Amino acid sequence: MKAITSFLLVFIVLGISNVYSQNDSIQVLSPNHFNRVLQLNPDVVLIDVRPKKEFKKAHIKGAYLAQNSEVLFHLIDSLGTSKVYLLYCKYGEQSVDAGKMIYEKYRISACSLEGGLDAWLQEGKEIEN
């Protein structure tokens, strides 16, 4: 029930027409929508899928690092499939691929930050160093 409530909150916040990309297994969200989901949903897990070196330079506050699929799957196994997973990378391509892998393994949808961390920064959003 909690998973359904979390998923519905994503739809309410974003509007159904803005949620799905071409592939329904991963939702690509603009930096503003991504931030809204991050701020409003208590069941959100934020995951940075960039290399550790890049993560150490800068990342979105509260993000977990999952620099490869093994770490990503371990993280999801430990946190559960009832969470809302928000993924990002530098440009937005790796996080889409990671979201597809999550869908293939767990049959849960994830959200990717459109344009990645670069777009996040262009929108003036905060990061941690």
Side-chain angles (χ1 to χ4, degrees):
M1 185 63 167
K2 197 173 185 182
I4 293 171
T5 304
S6 295
F7 196 70
L8 288 175
L9 181 60
V10 171
F11 281 121
I12 291 168
V13 171
L14 302 176
I16 292 173
S17 63
N18 293 329
V19 173
Y20 284 106
S21 65
Q22 289 182 346
N23 184 340
D24 291 346
S25 66
I26 181 76
Q27 302 168 18
V28 180
L29 308 178
S30 72
N32 288 329
H33 288 164
F34 191 90
N35 190 43
R36 246 185 265 153
V37 173
L38 182 62
Q39 299 301 317
L40 295 176
N41 194 325
D43 289 325
V44 161
V45 177
L46 180 62
I47 302 175
D48 186 323
V49 296
R50 299 174 302 146
K52 188 175 188 175
K53 182 178 173 182
E54 290 182 34
F55 181 83
K56 284 185 173 185
K57 286 181 186 177
H59 58 273
I60 300 173
K61 184 177 181 178
Y64 289 92
L65 174 62
Q67 59 193 15
N68 59 48
S69 60
E70 183 180 328
V71 175
L72 179 64
F73 294 152
H74 177 73
L75 186 60
I76 293 171
D77 287 339
S78 65
L79 296 173
T81 57
S82 64
K83 304 287 185 185
V84 175
Y85 289 96
L86 297 181
L87 311 170
Y88 73 93
C89 59
K90 182 165 178 60
Y91 303 115
E93 295 171 12
Q94 289 176 315
S95 56
V96 167
D97 291 342
K100 289 176 183 176
M101 288 189 313
I102 289 170
Y103 184 78
E104 287 174 16
K105 180 167 177 137
Y106 299 98
R107 292 296 182 222
I108 59 172
S109 294
C111 302
S112 173
L113 175 58
E114 181 179 38
L117 191 61
D118 284 355
W120 182 265
L121 292 170
Q122 285 178 343
E123 291 288 326
K125 306 288 187 216
E126 292 185 29
I127 59 168
E128 282 190 336
N129 298 6

